[in-house]
Amino acid sequence: EENERLRRGLLGQKAERLPRNDAQLSLAILGMAMAGVDSSSEAEAAAAAVEKQLVKEHTRCKPVRKPLPAELPRVEIEIVPPEVEREPDAFECIGSETREVLERRPAAVVAVKLVYKKFARKDRERGGETEVLVGETVELPIERGSAGPGFLADTIVRRWQDHQPLNRLEAVYARDGLDLSRSTLCTWHGELGGLARPLHEAMFVDALGSPYLCVDATGVLVLAKERCHNGHFWVLVAPDRHVLFRYSESHDGAAVDKLLPGYHGHLVADAHIVYDHLYKTGKVVEVGCWAHARRYWWKALGSDPERANIALVYIGSLFRIERTIASSPRKKKREVRQEKSKPIVEAFFTWCEAEQGRVLDESPVADAIRYALNQKVALMRFLDDGGLPMHNNISELNLRRQVVGRRNWLFCGSEDGAEINTIFVSLLASCRMHRIEPLGYMRDLLCLLPRWPKHRVLDLAPVNWTQTVAQPEVQQALAANVFRQVVLGQRT
């Protein structure tokens, strides 16, 4: 079993999906178990119906070429035959065919020269005191810095959205003719982290008011003198509002308390012991994750395929029901769950209790049954509240951002660097949640942040960004920024 886990981890597929034939067989078995069907003819009919449905779900339509986005700049080129070029007056155009092809212009780093001209009145008195007029100093995200908001936003997006380590960023900017050291980039990002920290904290305070939160964590290496030590990135998702990250040195109850200070509500998380102290007071209600429960059965598939298949289809049926009501209102979700999901959940736990005494102790299938029964109350909680999810996949999907990143940059240079990482990754991940283009958001955010009122800083969060930039005073402030004008081609 250990060898099989190692082989699957190195070479096997990562997606936890049953092979098609196994899914058909298990669904037929599940149908008989739920309906009390014993005859082989009815079992074959159930399998045939399942096969028909699977074929329908997996039928691929012929791909259709999508039109290119309308907001892309366009260059029109007319292609004419050589005969027409030689004798243009001998022919008349009777029609045309159009085709659009993508091309890319190289990006460019621009040096913006700010000339502060001084003026004095022509009719001033000779020998008297002269009044000198100078234009207002152009404000930068980093005071007395040498980089504008557009360039700084580019470095942030490349580093934490595209996961480019600092040595690669050096090479990227060197191709553009700019000798920029990684120490300079670190200094810039440290300054910008301090500028954006109030926004990050305001988003955390707002998230703690959500009725439920999804939480998960992963490890990260942090550079130290002797050797790298282990730190932890935590992700906290307030669905439809924020995706937030926090760094801690340890993975324990104290780190959880720092992540969720004074939180009251439902917490969707795995069954790790670090969360147990929150549930004792009753102010935080545990909601189990069916994706974690399914993972135990997936690991047992190699050693006990018969039981694992049955359990995976029970759980898979719940996920299929959830997909049909994903966009439904809360009341509708609860009604469907009570009608369709609850009988499957009850049958699943009844089956687990019956099989518990028949499996080998310490085997993968025994671990799967033990986890399911220990988490029974938490796993059933989603049935009575249509606002709760049945899994914690949203946290794991967002945490993957940090997992992909650490494969590229390998470790954080310091604990301060890890905290700066979480500030900008939170903003970029929240942009993705609300479908906001990250580079434009970071550029405009750095244009507005230096003068933005502290008590309204949450207005700049991605969740409120569309409403904020629609305000006339914000539009005026962005239009007046000279660096933004250069980036958008309004100044040459």
Side-chain angles (χ1 to χ4, degrees), residues 431-451:
C431 280
R432 182 177 181 181
M433 171 181 276
H434 297 285
R435 299 182 180 180
I436 297 173
E437 195 278 307
L439 183 58
Y441 169 79
M442 291 304 307
R443 179 197 65 222
D444 292 350
L445 177 68
L446 295 178
C447 290
L448 296 173
L449 258 180
R451 292 189 178 183

Side-chain angles (χ1 to χ4, degrees), residues 116-132:
Y116 293 92
K117 290 188 175 182
K118 301 179 181 180
F119 296 87
R121 290 190 175 276
K122 292 181 179 180
D123 57 351
R124 65 185 182 277
E125 295 182 3
R126 300 292 178 182
E129 189 173 320
T130 302
E131 181 183 9
V132 179

Side-chain angles (χ1 to χ4, degrees), residues 242-470:
H242 309 292
V243 180
L244 298 166
F245 290 82
R246 184 86 80 182
Y247 169 79
S248 70
E249 296 181 38
S250 57
H251 186 264
D252 54 16
V256 173
D257 291 336
K258 185 178 179 181
L259 181 72
L260 302 166
Y263 176 66
H264 296 171
H266 291 81
L267 186 66
V268 186
D270 56 28
H272 202 284
I273 193 174
V274 297
Y275 305 106
D276 287 352
H277 68 285
L278 297 176
Y279 310 136
K280 293 178 179 178
T281 61
K283 296 179 179 178
V284 178
V285 180
E286 181 182 12
V287 180
C289 173
W290 280 93
H292 280 86
R294 179 179 60 184
R295 192 159 300 139
Y296 279 88
W297 291 102
W298 180 258
K299 292 177 181 178
L301 196 59
S303 58
D304 195 338
E306 184 177 348
R307 289 189 178 91
N309 264 309
I310 295 174
L312 288 171
V313 175
Y314 270 119
I315 300 172
S317 301
L318 297 175
F319 276 89
R320 277 191 292 275
I321 294 170
E322 288 299 307
R323 284 195 290 271
T324 64
I325 58 174
S327 58
S328 300
R330 180 173 179 173
K331 184 177 180 181
K332 176 66 174 178
K333 284 185 178 181
R334 186 182 183 280
E335 291 175 356
V336 174
R337 287 172 176 177
Q338 289 290 318
E339 179 185 353
K340 297 182 178 181
S341 299
K342 188 174 182 179
I344 298 175
V345 171
E346 292 174 347
F348 170 72
F349 284 116
T350 300
W351 176 81
C352 286
E353 291 168 355
E355 296 295 325
Q356 187 176 22
R358 304 172 185 171
V359 298
L360 187 65
D361 292 342
E362 305 302 326
S363 64
V365 70
D367 292 339
I369 292 175
R370 181 168 57 251
Y371 180 91
L373 294 178
N374 287 344
Q375 291 293 110
K376 180 178 179 179
V377 175
L379 289 172
M380 294 185 70
R381 198 151 270 142
F382 81 104
L383 297 172
D384 299 320
D385 190 339
L388 296 177
M390 66 168 290
H391 56 75
N392 195 28
N393 284 348
I394 189 171
S395 292
E396 294 198 357
L397 288 173
N398 281 285
L399 199 60
R400 189 177 298 174
R401 176 185 293 267
Q402 294 287 31
V403 175
V404 173
R406 74 186 178 202
R407 290 178 181 175
N408 289 271
W409 35 257
L410 301 181
F411 56 83
C412 294
S414 65
E415 292 183 353
D416 290 339
E419 291 179 359
I420 292 169
N421 173 305
T422 60
I423 292 174
F424 291 115
V425 173
S426 297
L427 294 175
L428 294 170
S430 296
C431 280
R432 182 177 181 181
M433 171 181 276
H434 297 285
R435 299 182 180 180
I436 297 173
E437 195 278 307
L439 183 58
Y441 169 79
M442 291 304 307
R443 179 197 65 222
D444 292 350
L445 177 68
L446 295 178
C447 290
L448 296 173
L449 258 180
R451 292 189 178 183
W452 195 261
K454 300 290 185 183
H455 66 282
R456 292 177 50 207
V457 69
L458 188 62
D459 292 348
L460 298 180
V463 65
N464 300 319
W465 183 250
T466 303
Q467 294 80 8
T468 299
V469 295

Side-chain angles (χ1 to χ4, degrees), residues 19-33:
R20 181 178 168 185
N21 292 337
D22 288 354
Q24 294 172 14
L25 175 62
S26 299
L27 280 170
I29 295 173
L30 176 62
M32 290 188 296

